[in-house]
């Protein structure tokens, strides 16, 4: 697969310039790596938990969707917009402290559809959730 950016730093610059959105900012996301082939971001458990102290399942999905959608938009390129059309998540462990890390890799990068898998692990490297997202690529709105 070829990246539309020449090196990982330019991908990080692109995503930081574009912004992560208000929800991701409120949840404390931090971008670590960003290319078409691999995107990584972290999120704190604290502040994103259920009443019983476990990281909320929806928080895993927000991290996964943010990574997958931003990766699809980088792949889509200028003048295009990638929008999510399907997402699913399987939670296999509960994080209760520290940070979780999402690693997003493409399964399919096409002209009209992308599919990404996001593996989300705790500080000990144990997988907590696996998210898969499909994005449709369309022309960006004018203006």
């Amino acid at each position: 697969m070829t990246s539309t950016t020449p090196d990982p730093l330019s991908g990080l610059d692109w995503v930081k310039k574009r912004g992560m959105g208000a929800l991701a900012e409120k949840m404390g996301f931090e971008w670590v790596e960003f290319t078409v082939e691999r995107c990584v971001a972290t999120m704190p458990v604290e502040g994103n938990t259920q009443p019983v102290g476990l990281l909320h399942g929806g928080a895993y999905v927000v991290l996964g969707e943010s990574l997958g959608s931003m990766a699809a938009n980088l792949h889509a390129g200028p003048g295009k917009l990638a929008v999510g059309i399907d997402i699913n998540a399987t939670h296999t462990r509960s994080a209760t402290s520290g940070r979780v890390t999402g690693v997003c890799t493409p399964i399919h990068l096409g002209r009209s559809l992308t599919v990404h898998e996001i593996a989300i692990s705790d500080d000990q490297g144990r997988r907590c959730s696996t998210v898969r997202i499909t994005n449709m690529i369309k022309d960006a709105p004018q203006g």
Side-chain angles (χ1 to χ4, degrees), residues 31-43:
W31 297 109
V32 175
E33 181 180 339
F34 202 84
T35 68
V36 170
E37 294 84 14
R38 180 179 154 95
C39 302
V40 180
T42 66
M43 174 180 68

Side-chain angles (χ1 to χ4, degrees), residues 17 28 35 49 53 57 68 91 104 106 120 138:
K17 181 180 177 184
T35 68
T49 58
H91 310 307
C104 174
I120 303 172
K138 61 184 197 167

Side-chain angles (χ1 to χ4, degrees), residues 119-136:
I120 303 172
S121 302
D122 64 14
D123 284 334
Q124 290 76 44
R126 301 174 297 193
R127 189 178 292 213
C128 297
S129 186
T130 303
V131 179
R132 191 190 76 219
I133 183 169
T134 302
N135 281 280
M136 177 179 64

Side-chain angles (χ1 to χ4, degrees), residues 29-115:
F29 288 15
E30 290 184 20
W31 297 109
V32 175
E33 181 180 339
F34 202 84
T35 68
V36 170
E37 294 84 14
R38 180 179 154 95
C39 302
V40 180
T42 66
M43 174 180 68
V45 172
E46 186 177 346
N48 294 312
T49 58
Q50 303 172 340
V52 296
L54 306 175
L55 183 62
H56 195 288
Y60 289 115
V61 176
V62 172
L63 179 59
E65 183 163 4
S66 297
L67 278 163
S69 292
M70 293 298 281
N73 274 285
L74 181 62
H75 164 72
K80 298 289 184 178
L81 177 65
V83 294
I85 59 171
D86 182 65
I87 191 164
N88 67 62
T90 302
H91 310 307
T92 51
R93 180 178 292 276
S94 299
T96 57
S97 64
R99 297 186 76 78
V100 293
T101 300
V103 177
C104 174
T105 55
I107 295 170
H108 172 75
L109 294 174
R111 289 182 311 189
S112 59
L113 286 177
T114 64
V115 180

Side-chain angles (χ1 to χ4, degrees), residues 8-37:
L9 180 60
S10 63
L12 266 176
D13 290 343
W14 177 86
V15 76
K16 287 177 181 177
K17 181 180 177 184
R18 183 172 181 143
M20 63 179 75
L23 180 59
E25 289 177 14
K26 285 180 184 179
M27 294 178 73
F29 288 15
E30 290 184 20
W31 297 109
V32 175
E33 181 180 339
F34 202 84
T35 68
V36 170
E37 294 84 14

